Amino acid sequence: MPWDLIKLNDAGSCAGTSIPSVAYGTWRLGSGDQSVDYVDEAISVGFSHIDTAQGYGNEAEAGKAIRESGLARKDIYITTKFSNRDGLTIEEAIQSSLKKLGVDYVDLYLIHWPEYAQPDIPTAWAVMEKLKAQGLTKSIGVSNFEIPHLETLINSAKVYPAANQIQIHAYNFHDQLPLIEFGRKYGIVSEGYSPLIPITRMPGGPIDKPLNEISSRLNAKPEQVLLAWAKSKGVVVVTSTTKKERMEGYIAAGDLHLTVEDIAAIDEAGNQGARQQTARTFIRRAVFMCAVAAIALACVSLSMDVFLAYKY
């Protein structure tokens, strides 16, 4: 496979694993037979890591596709997440997920958001450690945790998180880098979802120029270059599509060789785009505040006019 395996920080234990560095995510697939078909196609083109969650509502569909693939359990890597749904505790939620997925264990179990770690992070994490000890999941981790959340967790943990799944793309990489590096200090692998945002939700930005130039030179598609860029950062890439052709392209992106100059060009364009976004956000807030102040001043003026009219 063109995408490498990444060793997790529990790889030295008997239950330790390596994680495939690209995952097919089921976040936006919905439920029903179509979702089964999409996951089935993803597996057929080479995805061996399926990323789902209690909150996505399609664990059962993902599980059906995995079973119908004919792959041995050891040949497919399954990530799912505790999303604090249906009033289930963490212990109850993983049992529900296992039943829906049709497996005895998952490879990686994550707390989907820090606010779902109830009543607090240390208590919730102790439960996660228990699930790992019971063999219900090979590895445990978190998702969308920031540095303060990780610090709180690490201060009480017996087992450090194996992974932290966060949004990573070229326009936010500079901002996310301290979090990624903090994780590396403790052997926590960063998983990056939404790596294609620069072209799917923010087209027309500074990244377009180097991306198009690199794509043309390598005879590749822009999305493949972005995935190869994310791979170069040493993160697990979580991506998705409903088109088989794109799935095949995403797998093929693991073979793309970006030069140091290519990576630097995307980095710089990403930083430029981030600065532009910060400036636009500042301007929007300033305009909003000015509008609020103008409305407040108009209200005061109107109130004074009414007062004077009443007085005289």
Side-chain angles (χ1 to χ4, degrees):
M1 296 296 292
W3 291 85
D4 302 325
L5 293 173
I6 297 176
K7 286 186 177 181
L8 298 177
N9 58 16
D10 58 6
S13 69
C14 60
T17 61
S18 293
I19 185 170
S21 59
V22 66
Y24 181 75
T26 70
W27 174 24
R28 296 181 180 274
L29 298 187
S31 58
D33 291 340
Q34 273 194 323
S35 298
V36 178
D37 293 340
Y38 296 145
V39 177
D40 178 69
E41 285 189 338
I43 294 172
S44 74
V45 304
F47 281 93
S48 61
H49 180 180
I50 304 301
D51 180 277
T52 185
Q54 178 194 26
Y56 299 166
N58 52 30
E59 288 174 308
E61 286 81 357
K64 183 178 180 182
I66 289 168
R67 291 192 300 276
E68 292 180 350
S69 73
L71 291 175
R73 177 65 187 88
K74 64 181 178 64
D75 294 328
I76 194 80
Y77 193 99
I78 302 173
T79 294
T80 193
K81 311 172 189 75
F82 170 69
S83 306
N84 195 32
R85 299 296 175 88
D86 304 322
L88 301 179
T89 64
I90 294 176
E91 299 101 315
E92 293 168 340
I94 193 171
Q95 292 290 352
S96 175
S97 292
L98 292 174
K99 183 177 180 180
K100 290 177 179 178
L101 288 162
V103 295
D104 296 326
Y105 69 92
V106 292
D107 296 277
L108 179 61
Y109 195 54
L110 308 177
I111 298 176
H112 208 157
W113 289 90
E115 55 265 36
Y116 297 160
Q118 296 296 329
D120 53 55
I121 289 174
T123 303
W125 189 249
V127 175
M128 296 288 284
E129 292 176 335
K130 181 180 178 182
L131 300 182
K132 176 177 167 60
Q134 293 173 337
L136 299 178
T137 178
K138 287 191 173 183
S139 300
I140 50 178
V142 294
S143 180
N144 301 301
F145 272 46
E146 300 293 338
I147 290 176
H149 304 126
L150 291 177
E151 288 176 332
T152 298
L153 189 158
I154 287 168
N155 285 338
S156 67
K158 296 178 181 178
V159 177
Y160 287 165
N164 182 21
Q165 189 173 123
I166 56 177
Q167 187 182 88
I168 298 176
H169 54 80
Y171 283 136
N172 81 343
F173 183 75
H174 179 76
D175 290 337
Q176 293 288 52
L177 189 55
L179 176 57
I180 294 169
E181 291 181 339
F182 181 88
R184 285 175 182 161
K185 180 180 176 182
Y186 294 95
I188 302 170
V189 171
S190 292
E191 297 186 86
Y193 63 81
S194 300
L196 302 183
I197 275 181
I199 56 178
T200 58
R201 298 188 207 171
M202 303 173 69
I207 280 178
D208 285 14
K209 184 176 184 294
L211 198 58
N212 291 333
E213 291 174 352
I214 296 167
S215 300
S216 178
R217 192 188 81 242
L218 297 179
N219 192 28
K221 295 181 178 179
E223 59 264 31
Q224 291 179 300
V225 174
L226 281 180
L227 294 179
W229 169 86
K231 179 187 176 186
S232 77
K233 300 302 182 180
V235 303
V236 174
V237 178
V238 183
T239 189
S240 188
T241 179
T242 59
K243 307 296 184 183
K244 186 175 182 179
E245 180 182 356
R246 289 180 180 172
M247 295 177 190
E248 293 170 338
Y250 293 172
I251 291 296
D255 285 327
L256 281 185
H257 175 70
L258 301 185
T259 66
V260 173
E261 292 76 18
D262 291 337
I263 296 169
I266 295 173
D267 286 345
E268 176 53 35
N271 291 341
Q272 182 183 348
R275 290 192 294 269
Q276 291 178 357
Q277 184 63 30
T278 299
R280 284 194 292 267
T281 299
F282 176 81
I283 292 171
R284 284 197 297 268
R285 288 178 179 173
V287 170
F288 175 76
M289 292 305 295
C290 288
V292 170
I295 293 171
L297 183 60
C299 289
V300 170
S301 177
L302 179 60
S303 298
M304 183 59 70
D305 289 343
V306 172
F307 171 75
L308 292 175
Y310 177 79
K311 182 176 181 180
Y312 296 105

